[in-house]
Amino acid sequence: MASFLIIGGDGIIGHALKARLQSEELEYVATTRRRLSENELHFDLATDPDHWPELPKAEVVFFCAAATKLDACEDNPEATRLINVTHMQALAAHVQSYGGLVVFLSSNQVFDGSKPYRKADETQCPVSEYGRQKAEFEQWLSKCPTPSAILRLTKVITGRLPITEAWQEKLESGAQIEAFDDLTFSPLPIKSVLDGLMLIGKQKKTGIFQLSGRKQLSYYDIACKLAVKMGKDIKLVTPVSAKNAGIRPQFLPRYGTLDCSTMADIAIAEIDCLG
Ligand SMILES: NC(=O)c1ccc[n+]([C@@H]2O[C@H](COP(=O)([O-])OP(=O)(O)OC[C@H]3O[C@@H](n4cnc5c(N)ncnc54)[C@H](OP(=O)(O)O)[C@@H]3O)[C@@H](O)[C@H]2O)c1
C-alpha cells in the first residue's frame, strides 16, 4: 500500500502538498484531470463512481479536490453537490473499506461568520451553498464508524495576492485605487497548512482540526498596507463596498477566524499578503 494519496494534486493545496512530500522524500501518488506526469493518475470526481479507475490504496488519503468556486456552488448547487458531497462520500467509503485514513479539507465557511474564533466543536451553521456542502460532508464523515480527519482552513495564501499587482501599477503612477472594506478574510500561510496536513498524515490523527490566520484583514487594509510600503499617501486608497458592487451577501461574513487550539503545535505566521 502507498503511504499517501492526494486526490486533486493540481490545486493550490494539492500542488504544494506534492512538493512537500517530495521534499521529505515520502512516497505518494496524486490524481489529476490534466496531462499525466510521474506518480499521477487520471481521476474525475464528477464521473459516475461505477466508472472510476482503480485507485491505488494508500494509508492516508488527502481529499484536496473539490468544486471550490463560491459562485459556481451557488449557481449550480446540484452539479457541485454531486462532486463535493455525493461522490466524495463514495470515495471516502472506498478508502475506509480498505482501512485508509480520510483527511478531508474543509473551511471556515461551515460557520455563518457571526462570531470570531469559532471552536472546532461548535455546531455548523453555513450560509453559502459551498459552506452547506462542506458541512453536509463533514457531518456524514463524522457519523461513519471509521474515524477520519477533518481540517478546516481559512483563506490560504501562497504569496502575493494577485490583485496587488494591479494596485501597485496604479499607485506607482499616482492613480487612485478602490478596495473593498467589507470583504474580509483571515490569511493563513500555506506552510502552516502543509505542516498541519503532515502532522495529521504522519501521526494518523483523527477528529476535527482547525487552522486560521490570527487576524482578519479587509482588502482595504491590504491596499493601505501596500500604499504605506510603497511610500504613497493612503488617501490614494478609497474604501468601497463589495455588497454594493454585487458580491453576494453570504460571501461577506463579518468574522472568518477559527480557534486553532486543536492544532496548537502548528506555528502560524502573520502575513500581509504583499509577498
Ligand atoms: N485555498 C483556500 O483558501 C481554502 C480554504 C479553505 C478550504 N479549502 C479547501 O481545501 C481544498 C483544496 O483547496 P484549493 O485551494 O487547493 O482548491 P483549488 O485550487 O480550487 O483546487 C481544487 C482541485 O480540485 C480539483 N477538482 C475540481 N473538480 C474536480 C473533479 N470533478 N474531479 C477531480 N478533481 C477536481 C481541481 O482540478 P483542476 O486543477 O483540474 O481544476 C483542483 O486540482 C478544497 O476542498 C477547498 O475547499 C481551501
Coordinates of all heavy atoms in Angstrom, one line a residue, residues 38 55 76 82 91 93 105 221 228 244 253 260:
E38 N 4.8 11.9 -13.7 CA 5.1 10.8 -12.8 C 4.3 10.8 -11.5 O 4.0 11.8 -11.0 CB 6.6 11.0 -12.4 CG 7.4 9.7 -12.3 CD 8.8 9.9 -11.7 OE1 9.3 11.0 -12.0 OE2 9.2 9.1 -10.9
L55 N -8.3 3.1 -8.0 CA -7.4 4.0 -7.3 C -6.4 3.2 -6.4 O -6.8 2.2 -5.8 CB -8.2 4.9 -6.4 CG -9.1 6.0 -7.1 CD1 -10.1 6.6 -6.2 CD2 -8.2 7.0 -7.8
N76 N -24.8 26.5 -9.4 CA -25.1 25.1 -9.8 C -25.0 24.2 -8.6 O -24.1 23.3 -8.5 CB -24.0 24.7 -10.8 CG -23.9 25.6 -12.0 OD1 -24.8 25.7 -12.8 ND2 -22.7 26.3 -12.1
L82 N -22.9 17.1 -6.2 CA -22.5 15.8 -6.7 C -21.0 15.5 -6.4 O -20.6 14.5 -6.0 CB -22.8 15.6 -8.2 CG -22.8 14.2 -8.8 CD1 -24.0 13.4 -8.3 CD2 -22.8 14.3 -10.3
L91 N -16.2 8.1 -2.4 CA -14.7 8.0 -2.4 C -14.3 7.6 -0.9 O -13.4 6.8 -0.7 CB -14.1 9.3 -2.9 CG -12.6 9.3 -2.9 CD1 -12.0 8.3 -3.8 CD2 -12.1 10.7 -3.3
A93 N -16.0 6.2 1.4 CA -16.4 4.9 1.8 C -15.4 3.8 1.2 O -15.1 2.9 1.8 CB -17.8 4.6 1.2
L105 N -10.3 18.2 3.6 CA -10.1 19.6 3.7 C -11.4 20.4 3.7 O -12.1 20.4 2.7 CB -9.2 20.1 2.6 CG -7.7 19.6 2.7 CD1 -6.9 20.1 1.6 CD2 -7.1 19.9 4.0
D221 N -7.7 47.1 4.0 CA -6.5 47.1 4.9 C -5.2 46.7 4.1 O -4.2 47.3 4.3 CB -6.6 46.0 6.0 CG -7.8 46.2 6.9 OD1 -8.1 47.4 7.2 OD2 -8.4 45.2 7.4
V228 N 1.4 52.2 2.0 CA 2.4 52.6 3.0 C 3.8 52.0 2.6 O 4.8 52.7 2.7 CB 2.0 52.2 4.4 CG1 3.1 52.3 5.4 CG2 0.7 52.9 4.9
N244 N -22.3 46.6 -2.3 CA -22.8 47.5 -3.4 C -22.3 47.1 -4.7 O -22.9 47.4 -5.7 CB -22.4 48.9 -3.1 CG -23.1 49.4 -1.8 OD1 -24.1 48.8 -1.4 ND2 -22.7 50.6 -1.3
P253 N -18.8 37.4 5.2 CA -19.0 37.1 6.7 C -18.4 38.3 7.5 O -17.4 38.9 7.1 CB -18.3 35.8 6.9 CG -17.3 35.8 5.8 CD -17.9 36.5 4.6
C260 N -7.7 27.8 16.9 CA -6.7 26.9 16.5 C -6.2 26.0 17.5 O -5.2 25.3 17.4 CB -5.6 27.6 15.8 SG -6.0 28.6 14.4

